[in-house]
Amino acid sequence: MPELAGLAPKGTRRMGANPHANGGVLLRDLQMPSYRDYAVEVPTPGVRGIGDTRVLGPFLRDVARLNDAQRNFRVFGPDETLSNGLEALFEATQRQWNGQTLPTDECLAPTGRVMEMLSEHQCEGWLEGYLLTGRHGVFNCYEACIHIVDSMFNQHAKWLKVTSNIPWRRKLVSLNYLLASHVWRQDHNGFTHQDPGFIDVVVNKKAEVVRVYLPPDTNCLLSVMDHCLRSRHYVNVVIAGKHPAPQWLTMDAAARHCAAGIGIWDWASNEGDQAPDVVMACCGDVPTLETLAAVSILRAHLPELKVRVVNVVDLMKLQPHTEHPHGLRDAAFDALFTKNKPVVFAFHAYPRLVHQLTYRRANHDNIHVHGYKEEGTITTPFDMTVLNDIDRFHLAMDVIDRLPQTGDKGLYLKRRLEEKLVAHRTYIVRYGEDMPEVRDWTWGRRSP
Amino acid sequence: MPELAGLAPKGTRRMGANPHANGGVLLRDLQMPSYRDYAVEVPTPGVRGIGDTRVLGPFLRDVARLNDAQRNFRVFGPDETLSNGLEALFEATQRQWNGQTLPTDECLAPTGRVMEMLSEHQCEGWLEGYLLTGRHGVFNCYEACIHIVDSMFNQHAKWLKVTSNIPWRRKLVSLNYLLASHVWRQDHNGFTHQDPGFIDVVVNKKAEVVRVYLPPDTNCLLSVMDHCLRSRHYVNVVIAGKHPAPQWLTMDAAARHCAAGIGIWDWASNEGDQAPDVVMACCGDVPTLETLAAVSILRAHLPELKVRVVNVVDLMKLQPHTEHPHGLRDAAFDALFTKNKPVVFAFHAYPRLVHQLTYRRANHDNIHVHGYKEEGTITTPFDMTVLNDIDRFHLAMDVIDRLPQTGDKGLYLKRRLEEKLVAHRTYIVRYGEDMPEVRDWTWGRRSP
């Protein structure tokens, strides 16, 4: 009957033709500030920063500001915008809140562009819907808590994989996770908050849609986040610190390093144009700090040792290029990690992930990974690394174990380092904080 | 004041002394039927079963029945007791339901011992509370959906790890997951329901508290579940099928195989007392089926080839004994997998997990794993294996690729197998079901 047929919606009112069901059609590029304007000065490697995400905050604030008119950028998270160091956002916008307010409430507004609810599920669902309808966003979350949405992430990644092969579907903005309160700085919340396994779930999904970044300092974080916010149809996971921490790279160096995704830090290495005796690899901010501290010990006490430092920002560089679009070709991997020298690898997350990514590499048998091994409690920040054998002393001792040519001098140093571990233990039990030589250690200052 | 001090509870009414807060104190062993009484007859390997969990159902029914008086056994799950093949439970008990009932309701009772709610979170929370207060239970769930409780599992595993070192805490019953509708038989639900990654989350937790079992047939499932229900203070993950599938082992053989956790299936191998040319390893019910079908093709067409079949029930056997209490010593691992022969490994879940567990083994470079690689849709059961290169034809072709000594005869067979894959594709598009030679394939009958 024509009168019934006439009830059917027409044109873009039809479900399948509704542009909101193909969000890429509605998508407008973000207006982006220049991330370089937020750079921290790094006159020499090792200068103290205020916390990587605390510098990212003003950058995100200005992204929110620049896109206020086109109303297509939001930041989502449980109740952690402040706790993750992104307080600057509230200079430009507020938490969206349509209900009653009390005089004691802070940063609430019916027009806010920060979406907070202490339900990771709700935040993930909001953000997915926002992206699917053609907008831009970031999910900031504690690293351990993001496991709560593993299953939702899985479904979104599957959706991205399938739709990327459907010609009429336009690409969406990437789903960006910023995991800003991570395993190594949960010394105060304790064991329940220590879980770096989300990226193990992520890398199981189709390589073409997943990306994992572990910027070692503030300038790298700025470069990575700028890249992620501009990318399309991926899931990007960015793991970053919020605590005061040493800064390694100038903005120019950081931009180059992040573009490469992995590289030798010549300024920290001493092998020159010769083959190194050992490769000290690191991935993540705390592992990078501990690796450089270990390198400084080794170079001070065993100066004849040729040490190469390799830092990994883009985790998927480790995988063969046949497995992931970012993967290094074997020749490039071998040029970094050698074909036959020991590699002592300090890794942010569970060690097995590095083996899982590198098992096809020529030098895999020589790669010895230190990472989180499910040890931890409420303790000091440095003790978290000690409990998991990823601290500077264990790393340096591992190098000595792998290099018999360090001989008696090496064994002597190893005994001194074992003593350091005992001193550490004694000190934290007595004073409840880390030894001054650990807290105040700075790259380039001779270690005791 | 004495009258206020007198309000404080005394003895076991104090929070810290309440026996319900130390459930192991209240724990009573389950009354267990003999699992051997539920065995299926396997006169020859390859006889058709009715679905592995459908035989487990009567066993669980009788566990429920035998413990009805002591009221300490429950089965938890979203809405999948029937769907996972455990319908026999309703002969002994009902779904617990305290609300109003309608004439169309089925299997509801205020005294039921099956706890169903379509919320994996609720089921997990119920079960954890039940275990923590000294009772016994099983969580049955679709494999892909169990990711929903990743984060809750993580916390329970951390709790088990910490409390196992506290002397006054008595051990609890293990948290038993039965994942009964798995990735390879989600051909009807499609890509969203295909995710075998929960065990990747599980193996990140402390080795002393996690166990993963993939019984290849009904009798093995009975043996494994009997073991899990008796175990203490672990998380056990059991992955099993519910669809009619071939049966391989008699009850005696199954009990021996599960006690070992891994072993050579002599009846399927033909290397005798010589070294094999290739090891065909399999883990999981569908990978085992496809491996044996591949073996039958290879043995029929390349009879001079010496093929060894290794089946893995207890996944953690693959890890070194220094990493997991169940891990094989290197000599035992090498005795199964050789030190230098190609291993074509058909694995239930994401292939990288096998590499992650075996990277320290002597023969690791020769282990070639086929598993789920995030390909799938709504299709036929066999096509799910084809899409992920884990089907009999791809496995046999991989063996030929790894063994140049198969020569022209091997290459000839490979071309025939490539034709089979084309025929498969053509047939399923036309008929919507698998080719009769695939559906009706039986071990011991000469393959075409």
Side-chain angles (χ1 to χ4, degrees):
Chain A
M1 292 170 62
E3 64 196 277
L4 291 185
L7 293 175
K10 292 185 175 52
T12 59
R13 294 289 182 178
R14 290 169 300 165
M15 194 184 293
N18 188 318
H20 295 281
N22 187 8
V25 174
L26 303 175
L27 182 58
R28 296 174 62 186
D29 285 348
L30 279 183
Q31 303 298 313
M32 294 283 285
S34 168
Y35 67 93
R36 288 171 176 264
D37 295 347
Y38 305 82
V40 296
E41 288 290 319
V42 184
T44 69
V47 296
R48 194 80 165 173
I50 61 168
D52 298 347
T53 58
R54 292 182 203 282
V55 178
L56 183 71
F59 173 70
L60 292 178
R61 172 198 65 202
D62 293 344
V63 175
R65 206 168 256 162
L66 285 171
N67 297 281
D68 195 47
Q70 62 185 39
R71 296 162 47 84
N72 63 346
F73 177 74
R74 287 183 188 268
V75 176
F76 302 76
D79 60 343
E80 295 154 5
T81 311
L82 291 175
S83 170
N84 284 331
L86 305 178
E87 58 275 4
L89 272 167
F90 295 126
E91 299 166 20
T93 184
Q94 306 291 303
R95 298 182 181 99
Q96 174 140 355
W97 181 255
N98 299 337
Q100 193 186 2
T101 58
L102 300 172
T104 48
D105 286 334
E106 288 180 341
C107 307
L108 302 185
T111 57
R113 308 204 71 76
V114 172
M115 307 293 289
E116 279 197 359
M117 184 190 287
L118 188 35
S119 160
E120 285 76 2
H121 292 115
Q122 185 63 44
C123 294
E124 173 82 13
W126 273 335
L127 175 53
E128 288 185 13
Y130 201 61
L131 299 177
L132 288 165
T133 49
R135 276 83 64 88
H136 307 252
V138 174
F139 188 161
N140 80 93
C141 190
Y142 274 39
E143 186 181 36
C145 301
I146 199 68
H147 264 306
I148 293 172
V149 298
D150 279 1
S151 184
M152 297 178 78
F153 152 78
N154 279 338
Q155 297 303 324
H156 191 76
K158 282 175 177 278
W159 194 91
L160 291 175
K161 185 250 181 186
V162 170
T163 55
S164 63
N165 297 317
I166 298 176
W168 57 266
R169 280 227 170 257
R170 301 279 290 275
K171 288 200 183 305
L172 299 181
V173 169
S174 302
L175 200 173
N176 298 308
Y177 293 103
L178 174 64
L179 307 183
S181 298
H182 64 57
V183 57
W184 299 110
R185 289 295 181 262
Q186 290 296 338
D187 41 280
H188 58 303
N189 280 318
F191 192 47
T192 54
H193 282 53
Q194 295 159 3
D195 191 314
F198 182 62
I199 55 178
D200 289 281
V201 175
V202 169
V203 300
N204 275 338
K205 289 291 158 279
K206 212 66 188 174
E208 65 236 41
V209 300
V210 294
R211 306 286 185 268
V212 180
Y213 300 97
L214 295 110
D217 71 0
T218 300
N219 288 337
C220 289
L221 174 61
L222 286 167
S223 170
V224 162
M225 280 305 293
D226 179 76
H227 172 79
C228 292
L229 287 175
R230 294 171 189 273
S231 76
R232 294 286 182 272
H233 229 70
Y234 298 147
V235 174
N236 297 308
V237 182
V238 181
I239 302 175
K242 65 183 180 184
H243 291 91
Q247 301 299 308
W248 311 111
L249 302 184
T250 64
M251 193 70 251
D252 278 345
R256 281 196 304 271
H257 183 51
C258 294
I262 188 171
I264 298 173
W265 281 2
D266 282 316
W267 54 268
S269 312
N270 69 341
E271 94 263 35
D273 61 359
Q274 303 193 302
D277 297 312
V278 62
V279 177
M280 304 283 283
C282 47
C283 181
D285 61 345
V286 168
T288 299
L289 164 58
E290 292 306 314
T291 292
L292 288 172
V295 168
S296 76
I297 292 169
L298 291 168
R299 287 181 55 181
H301 295 270
L302 302 170
E304 63 288 359
L305 207 63
K306 295 194 290 297
V307 180
R308 172 183 291 174
V309 176
V310 171
N311 183 269
V312 183
V313 179
D314 177 349
L315 185 65
M316 305 320 284
K317 289 284 169 190
L318 297 178
Q319 229 182 3
H321 77 285
T322 49
E323 298 294 309
H324 194 284
H326 286 197
L328 291 179
R329 288 172 182 272
D330 279 340
F333 187 92
D334 295 347
L336 294 173
F337 291 96
T338 80
K339 282 192 172 183
N340 51 14
K341 300 298 162 118
V343 178
V344 172
F345 196 132
F347 181 52
H348 172 84
Y350 294 103
R352 280 192 294 260
L353 181 53
V354 171
H355 292 293
Q356 178 177 318
L357 298 174
T358 60
Y359 69 84
R360 291 189 186 172
R361 302 297 192 174
N363 200 30
H364 176 257
D365 284 353
N366 287 317
I367 299 180
H368 308 285
V369 188
H370 297 240
Y372 185 64
K373 49 178 201 173
E374 206 64 16
E375 291 293 341
T377 181
I378 295 172
T379 184
T380 68
F382 183 66
D383 196 47
M384 274 299 301
T385 66
V386 173
L387 290 174
N388 291 282
D389 301 349
I390 195 179
D391 60 282
R392 56 200 68 180
F393 304 130
H394 276 104
L395 294 177
M397 286 158 62
D398 197 16
V399 169
I400 294 166
D401 286 346
R402 307 285 172 195
L403 293 175
Q405 64 262 44
T406 56
D408 289 331
K409 224 172 141 187
L411 294 175
Y412 176 84
L413 174 58
K414 196 178 165 195
R415 289 198 299 279
R416 298 292 84 79
L417 298 176
E418 284 164 350
E419 289 164 8
K420 287 281 183 202
L421 286 168
V422 175
H424 153 75
R425 186 82 203 135
T426 311
Y427 190 94
I428 64 166
V429 169
R430 180 157 182 189
Y431 296 103
E433 63 177 3
D434 287 318
M435 298 190 291
E437 70 174 92
V438 167
R439 272 184 289 138
D440 301 337
W441 173 84
T442 306
W443 174 257
R445 195 188 302 163
R446 191 180 157 81
S447 63
Chain B
M1 293 168 62
E3 64 195 278
L4 291 185
L7 294 175
K10 293 185 174 55
T12 59
R13 294 290 183 179
R14 290 169 300 166
M15 194 184 291
N18 188 317
H20 295 281
N22 187 8
V25 173
L26 302 176
L27 182 57
R28 296 175 62 188
D29 285 348
L30 280 183
Q31 303 297 314
M32 294 284 285
S34 167
Y35 68 94
R36 287 169 175 266
D37 294 347
Y38 305 82
V40 296
E41 289 290 319
V42 183
T44 69
V47 297
R48 194 81 166 172
I50 61 168
D52 297 348
T53 59
R54 291 181 203 284
V55 180
L56 183 70
F59 172 71
L60 291 178
R61 172 199 66 203
D62 292 346
V63 176
R65 206 169 256 160
L66 285 171
N67 297 281
D68 196 46
Q70 61 184 39
R71 296 162 48 84
N72 63 347
F73 177 75
R74 287 184 187 267
V75 176
F76 303 75
D79 60 343
E80 295 154 5
T81 312
L82 291 175
S83 169
N84 283 332
L86 305 177
E87 59 275 4
L89 273 166
F90 296 126
E91 298 166 20
T93 184
Q94 306 290 305
R95 298 182 180 101
Q96 174 140 356
W97 181 254
N98 299 338
Q100 194 186 1
T101 57
L102 300 174
T104 49
D105 286 333
E106 288 181 340
C107 308
L108 302 184
T111 57
R113 307 203 71 78
V114 172
M115 307 294 288
E116 278 198 358
M117 185 189 288
L118 188 34
S119 160
E120 285 78 2
H121 293 115
Q122 185 64 43
C123 295
E124 173 82 14
W126 271 336
L127 175 53
E128 287 185 13
Y130 201 62
L131 300 177
L132 288 165
T133 49
R135 276 82 64 87
H136 305 251
V138 174
F139 188 160
N140 80 92
C141 190
Y142 274 38
E143 185 182 35
C145 301
I146 198 67
H147 264 305
I148 292 172
V149 299
D150 279 1
S151 183
M152 297 177 79
F153 152 78
N154 279 338
Q155 297 303 323
H156 192 76
K158 281 176 178 276
W159 194 91
L160 291 176
K161 185 246 178 188
V162 171
T163 55
S164 62
N165 297 318
I166 298 175
W168 57 266
R169 278 226 170 257
R170 300 279 290 274
K171 287 200 185 304
L172 299 182
V173 169
S174 302
L175 199 172
N176 297 309
Y177 292 102
L178 174 64
L179 307 182
S181 298
H182 63 56
V183 55
W184 299 109
R185 288 295 181 262
Q186 289 295 339
D187 41 279
H188 58 303
N189 281 319
F191 193 47
T192 54
H193 282 53
Q194 295 158 3
D195 192 313
F198 182 62
I199 54 178
D200 290 281
V201 175
V202 169
V203 300
N204 275 339
K205 290 291 158 279
K206 211 66 188 175
E208 65 237 40
V209 300
V210 294
R211 307 286 185 266
V212 180
Y213 300 97
L214 295 109
D217 71 1
T218 301
N219 288 338
C220 289
L221 174 61
L222 287 167
S223 170
V224 162
M225 280 304 293
D226 179 76
H227 171 78
C228 292
L229 288 176
R230 295 171 188 271
S231 76
R232 294 287 184 271
H233 228 69
Y234 298 148
V235 174
N236 297 308
V237 182
V238 181
I239 302 175
K242 65 183 181 184
H243 291 92
Q247 301 299 307
W248 310 111
L249 302 184
T250 64
M251 192 71 251
D252 279 346
R256 281 196 304 272
H257 184 50
C258 294
I262 187 170
I264 297 173
W265 280 3
D266 282 315
W267 54 268
S269 311
N270 69 341
E271 94 263 36
D273 61 359
Q274 304 195 298
D277 298 311
V278 63
V279 176
M280 303 284 282
C282 45
C283 181
D285 62 345
V286 168
T288 299
L289 164 59
E290 293 306 315
T291 293
L292 288 172
V295 168
S296 76
I297 292 170
L298 290 168
R299 288 181 54 182
H301 294 271
L302 302 170
E304 63 287 358
L305 207 62
K306 295 195 289 296
V307 180
R308 171 183 292 174
V309 175
V310 171
N311 184 268
V312 183
V313 180
D314 177 350
L315 185 65
M316 304 320 284
K317 289 284 170 191
L318 297 178
Q319 228 181 5
H321 77 284
T322 50
E323 300 293 310
H324 194 284
H326 286 198
L328 291 179
R329 288 175 180 271
D330 279 340
F333 187 92
D334 296 346
L336 293 173
F337 291 97
T338 81
K339 282 191 171 182
N340 51 16
K341 299 297 161 116
V343 178
V344 173
F345 196 132
F347 180 53
H348 173 83
Y350 294 104
R352 280 192 293 260
L353 181 53
V354 171
H355 292 293
Q356 178 178 319
L357 298 173
T358 61
Y359 68 84
R360 292 189 186 172
R361 302 297 192 177
N363 200 29
H364 176 257
D365 284 352
N366 287 317
I367 299 180
H368 308 284
V369 188
H370 297 240
Y372 184 64
K373 50 179 201 172
E374 205 64 16
E375 292 293 340
T377 182
I378 294 172
T379 183
T380 68
F382 182 67
D383 195 47
M384 273 299 301
T385 66
V386 173
L387 291 174
N388 291 282
D389 300 349
I390 195 178
D391 61 282
R392 56 200 69 179
F393 303 130
H394 276 104
L395 294 177
M397 286 158 61
D398 197 16
V399 169
I400 293 166
D401 287 345
R402 308 283 171 198
L403 293 175
Q405 64 263 44
T406 55
D408 288 332
K409 225 172 141 189
L411 294 175
Y412 175 84
L413 174 57
K414 195 177 166 196
R415 288 198 299 280
R416 297 292 82 81
L417 298 175
E418 284 163 352
E419 288 165 8
K420 287 284 184 202
L421 286 168
V422 174
H424 154 74
R425 185 85 204 134
T426 311
Y427 190 93
I428 65 167
V429 168
R430 181 156 180 190
Y431 296 104
E433 62 176 4
D434 288 319
M435 298 190 291
E437 69 174 273
V438 168
R439 273 184 288 141
D440 301 337
W441 174 82
T442 306
W443 174 258
R445 194 187 303 161
R446 189 178 159 83
S447 63

